[in-house]
Amino acid sequence: MGIVRLVELMPDDGQKAAELAHLAADIWREHYTPMIGRAQVEYMLEKYQSEEKILSDVRTNGYRYFMAYDDDNMVGYCAAKPEYEKKGLLLSKFYVEKSNRGRGISRRMHDKLIEIAAEEGLSYIWLTVNKRNYDSIDIYKKLGFTIVEELITDIGSGFSMDDYKMRMEL
């Protein structure tokens, strides 16, 4: 295992977006199926983690995606969107494949997000996380986030997300 590097997804890099969507599907199916069920996982992968959605988010929705690589292998990714009117950075995606957890990859991605927020003059980072995603909640707390709100969000097709909103002041 080498030194993990972060690479930003460029709007015209469909190949990397496809690779990212494949990694997302692997992570989501392993991690979330026991938590929210197969049907909701597949729905959310298509709606939020597909190659097309990723490229659309980068090209037109203001998102920045960063892929974590160990040599030539993508092992994680994160995505964030500046919300200038709120002076915050939305942390939309933050995932590391299971076999690479515990290697400091989350910390490296987190540091990149702090750097982006500082560059953009934003004063906090926020995210939502499933209330039953205990390991991720613990990681977010270790990274400096606190729970600020409980949310239930209808995402269509009879599915909803039962989340905590977490926030980290900068």
Side-chain angles (χ1 to χ4, degrees):
M1 293 188 187
I3 296 173
V4 173
R5 60 188 167 86
L6 295 181
V7 176
E8 186 166 4
L9 178 66
M10 295 293 107
D12 60 346
D13 199 342
Q15 181 178 343
K16 292 285 187 215
E19 184 181 352
L20 199 157
H22 180 76
L23 177 63
D26 289 347
I27 292 171
W28 269 68
R29 288 180 179 125
E30 175 269 321
H31 188 78
Y32 288 105
T33 300
M35 196 178 307
I36 61 175
R38 183 175 179 271
Q40 185 165 343
V41 165
E42 296 304 319
Y43 174 77
M44 291 180 74
L45 283 170
E46 181 61 33
K47 186 168 181 162
Y48 302 112
Q49 305 276 349
S50 68
E51 175 185 347
E52 297 77 17
K53 177 61 173 161
I54 291 166
L55 286 173
S56 172
D57 279 346
V58 171
R59 290 175 179 158
T60 61
N61 297 328
Y63 285 82
R64 294 179 68 186
Y65 276 77
F66 295 90
M67 302 159 293
Y69 282 92
D70 181 357
D71 294 321
D72 291 331
N73 300 314
M74 189 184 301
V75 296
Y77 67 101
C78 63
K81 177 183 179 180
E83 297 182 327
Y84 300 106
E85 67 285 354
K86 296 178 183 177
K87 298 208 179 291
L89 182 69
L90 166 61
L91 173 51
S92 174
K93 317 277 188 296
F94 198 79
Y95 302 104
V96 176
E97 71 179 2
K98 187 174 187 174
S99 64
N100 281 283
R101 294 178 192 149
R103 295 183 53 210
I105 298 168
S106 294
R107 173 65 66 185
R108 186 159 174 119
M109 293 189 304
H110 177 258
D111 291 347
K112 183 64 175 177
L113 297 166
I114 291 173
E115 179 184 312
I116 291 167
E119 288 171 1
E120 299 292 341
L122 304 173
S123 59
Y124 64 92
I125 301 172
W126 71 278
L127 59 89
T128 59
V129 59
N130 186 290
K131 289 178 184 174
R132 294 183 297 162
N133 196 348
Y134 307 115
D135 291 341
S136 295
I137 292 167
D138 287 344
I139 290 167
Y140 292 135
K141 286 180 177 180
K142 287 177 186 172
L143 292 172
F145 288 86
T146 58
I147 295 170
V148 295
E149 190 176 352
E150 294 185 21
L151 304 168
I152 297 177
T153 306
D154 182 344
I155 59 170
S157 294
F159 298 114
S160 63
M161 296 188 303
D162 188 12
D163 293 337
Y164 289 123
K165 180 178 181 180
M166 299 185 79
R167 180 171 163 146
M168 182 184 77
E169 302 297 326
L170 300 174

